[in-house]
Amino acid sequence: MTPLPDDLRLDRRRKAIIAAARELFVEQGYERATLAEIVTRAGGSLATVYKLFGNKDQLLEAVVFESAGSGEAVIREAAAAGLAPVPTLHRIAKGLHEHFLDPEVIALVRIVIARSISDPQFARQFFERTANPTRDALETVFARWQADGVAMDGTPGFLAEMFMGLFVSDLQTQAISHGLGISPLPDRLQERTNFFIAAAGINQLAESAA
Amino acid sequence: MTPLPDDLRLDRRRKAIIAAARELFVEQGYERATLAEIVTRAGGSLATVYKLFGNKDQLLEAVVFESAGSGEAVIREAAAAGLAPVPTLHRIAKGLHEHFLDPEVIALVRIVIARSISDPQFARQFFERTANPTRDALETVFARWQADGVAMDGTPGFLAEMFMGLFVSDLQTQAISHGLGISPLPDRLQERTNFFIAAAGINQLAESAA
DNA sequence: GCGAAGGTGTAATGATCATTACACCATTGT
DNA sequence: ACAATGGTGTAATGATCATTACACCTTCGC
């Protein structure tokens, strides 16, 4: 889907258009954002947009799929620090919170959900590329802890799902409904993490075998 | 907002229009649903829609606010059955699951989220009228249990929030992203409830003092 | 310098509705 | 029966864009 590596001009144009489109989509949503305004911000010409992306829908897809990352990196870093499970979980919670409650991410999620009405595949793909890798990274961490002898109630997969529910789904839903200002404060985040730790039956004293 | 109780004709018209609008909004979303089609299904005339609702936006508001209920009733009923906390929680979980994962409710949530981009107040009001009463009803139940001597880790408010996160936000997010077919099976629901019970430190043997 | 190949700017084109206007029909109370 | 009051049907009106068409520049290899 990204041919013409021989021509740098096109590539630069493409990046500029995606950046402007992302900006406008985040500001106004998909429907309200007009291609004319995107072109105004990106510079260049409407014809180029059509040459590169085909139509507005495909431009959105490109923007979303090139923009939205997952929480994988955050989880790997936290796990690699070699801390005990409990402080590691606190660190992961904070990292996921920062990543998934970023206003731009929230704005993209809103757009994806809005489009899920007419295009369910699009929503599914989006979550498969963002939530799933995050969930899987968590699962991997939990599985390693279990293998290292840390007591945990539940399979790594189930616990990863619960963690995602408490720290991604629920917080995003709150962000969407109450506006971004009311996102949980750090201490409320800790309270949540402790809730998870209690449910998972993780021994507060367990040490990582990293 | 519902004047003219003296005239039944208008009231009947109003109900028919709301029903047709709700149906079409659920099927196609807000943007795609046209007033012309709504009128076709409801019978009557476009002019009446404008007389009764003013414009399409206000029609949507009427539909959403007259359609979306909360999970209060489910919670009250479960609590009133006089069972012990643990089976009561299982019952509440099942009830909330049925209520909030109803395809029509999910469709309305999608619409509300889509509109939250341009109209944050609308989304806030919606959640205040659906999620908040549910949360408050839960909090009341938990508080009564605590007063009755059931051991629980955490304030009733916090536990209610966690419960909502696990049984409403997260499941709705999954329904939106994966489609409605993949909503959790009953046994997965039980697993979730047990997770919550463990986190809240509720004694499995605790009896309700009802 | 030169001539493509590829951009650029601008102006149609066309479709889709929300919204409004208007002339006509039905019901209801007297 | 007889106006009203209120509803109905249909046809403008207007606005908003996505999408397309086209004539004109630029840049780059040669």
Side-chain angles (χ1 to χ4, degrees):
Chain A
M1 291 281 182
T2 314
L4 300 183
D6 53 315
D7 193 345
L8 285 198
R9 272 183 298 166
L10 267 188
D11 202 48
R12 231 175 293 148
R13 229 62 292 286
R14 185 191 168 82
K15 288 214 174 86
I17 292 167
I18 289 219
R22 177 190 159 102
E23 198 180 291
L24 209 65
F25 288 156
V26 163
E27 275 175 32
Q28 323 201 325
Y30 179 71
E31 309 278 358
R32 289 203 164 190
T34 71
L35 289 177
E37 173 68 17
I38 289 170
V39 166
T40 300
R41 293 198 189 184
S45 147
L46 198 46
T48 309
V49 173
Y50 278 90
K51 168 165 292 193
L52 286 173
F53 299 97
N55 58 33
K56 197 185 176 188
D57 273 29
Q58 287 175 268
L59 173 58
L60 175 66
E61 283 186 23
V63 166
V64 167
F65 289 137
E66 291 183 23
S67 291
S70 78
E72 261 184 290
V74 160
I75 293 169
R76 278 198 224 295
E77 280 166 28
L83 296 170
V86 169
T88 301
L89 282 174
H90 281 293
R91 199 181 273 209
I92 290 175
K94 188 156 168 258
L96 289 188
H97 176 257
E98 275 164 13
H99 177 81
F100 284 104
L101 266 71
D102 176 272
E104 294 212 357
V105 173
I106 294 288
L108 291 179
V109 169
R110 272 199 251 244
I111 290 173
V112 169
I113 291 176
R115 292 189 69 66
S116 75
I117 298 169
S118 56
D119 184 358
Q121 295 307 310
F122 182 55
R124 187 182 322 230
Q125 280 186 16
F126 176 78
F127 287 100
E128 274 171 8
R129 296 203 199 187
T130 55
N132 285 10
T134 310
R135 197 204 75 101
D136 293 346
L138 267 178
E139 184 175 356
T140 302
V141 171
F142 293 165
R144 193 175 319 139
W145 285 347
Q146 276 194 335
D148 288 348
V150 175
M152 298 175 78
D153 301 340
T155 66
F158 174 72
L159 293 175
E161 203 174 317
M162 294 301 97
F163 200 88
M164 291 294 290
L166 291 172
F167 291 95
V168 179
S169 302
D170 187 40
L171 296 186
Q172 280 192 339
T173 300
Q174 288 192 22
I176 287 172
S177 56
H178 297 298
L180 291 168
I182 314 191
S183 72
L185 304 171
D187 56 309
R188 302 201 49 126
L189 214 51
Q190 250 186 21
E191 204 177 9
R192 254 170 210 253
T193 312
N194 288 333
F195 177 87
F196 176 84
I197 289 167
I202 296 172
N203 186 330
Q204 296 278 340
L205 300 175
E207 287 182 28
S208 168
Chain B
M1 290 280 179
T2 313
L4 300 183
D6 52 315
D7 194 345
L8 285 197
R9 274 184 297 168
L10 266 188
D11 202 48
R12 232 173 292 147
R13 227 69 285 290
R14 186 191 167 83
K15 288 212 175 87
I17 292 166
I18 289 218
R22 176 190 161 103
E23 198 180 292
L24 209 65
F25 287 156
V26 163
E27 275 175 32
Q28 323 201 324
Y30 179 72
E31 309 277 358
R32 289 203 165 191
T34 71
L35 290 179
E37 173 68 15
I38 289 171
V39 167
T40 300
R41 293 199 190 185
S45 150
L46 198 45
T48 308
V49 173
Y50 277 90
K51 168 165 292 192
L52 285 173
F53 299 97
N55 59 33
K56 195 185 176 187
D57 273 29
Q58 286 174 267
L59 173 58
L60 175 68
E61 283 185 23
V63 166
V64 166
F65 288 138
E66 292 184 22
S67 291
S70 77
E72 260 184 291
V74 160
I75 292 169
R76 278 198 224 294
E77 280 167 29
L83 296 171
V86 169
T88 301
L89 282 173
H90 281 293
R91 201 181 273 210
I92 291 175
K94 190 158 165 256
L96 289 188
H97 176 256
E98 276 163 13
H99 177 81
F100 283 104
L101 265 72
D102 176 272
E104 293 210 358
V105 173
I106 294 288
L108 291 179
V109 169
R110 273 198 251 242
I111 291 173
V112 170
I113 291 177
R115 291 190 68 66
S116 74
I117 298 170
S118 56
D119 185 357
Q121 295 307 311
F122 183 55
R124 187 183 321 228
Q125 281 186 15
F126 176 78
F127 287 100
E128 274 171 7
R129 296 202 197 186
T130 55
N132 286 11
T134 310
R135 198 204 74 101
D136 293 346
L138 267 179
E139 183 175 357
T140 302
V141 171
F142 292 165
R144 193 172 322 139
W145 286 348
Q146 276 194 336
D148 288 348
V150 176
M152 298 175 77
D153 301 340
T155 66
F158 174 72
L159 292 176
E161 202 174 319
M162 294 301 96
F163 201 87
M164 291 294 289
L166 290 173
F167 290 94
V168 179
S169 302
D170 187 39
L171 296 186
Q172 280 192 340
T173 301
Q174 286 192 23
I176 288 171
S177 56
H178 297 299
L180 290 168
I182 315 190
S183 73
L185 305 172
D187 57 308
R188 302 200 50 127
L189 214 52
Q190 247 186 23
E191 203 177 10
R192 255 171 208 252
T193 311
N194 289 331
F195 178 85
F196 176 82
I197 288 167
I202 296 173
N203 187 331
Q204 296 278 339
L205 300 177
E207 287 182 28
S208 168

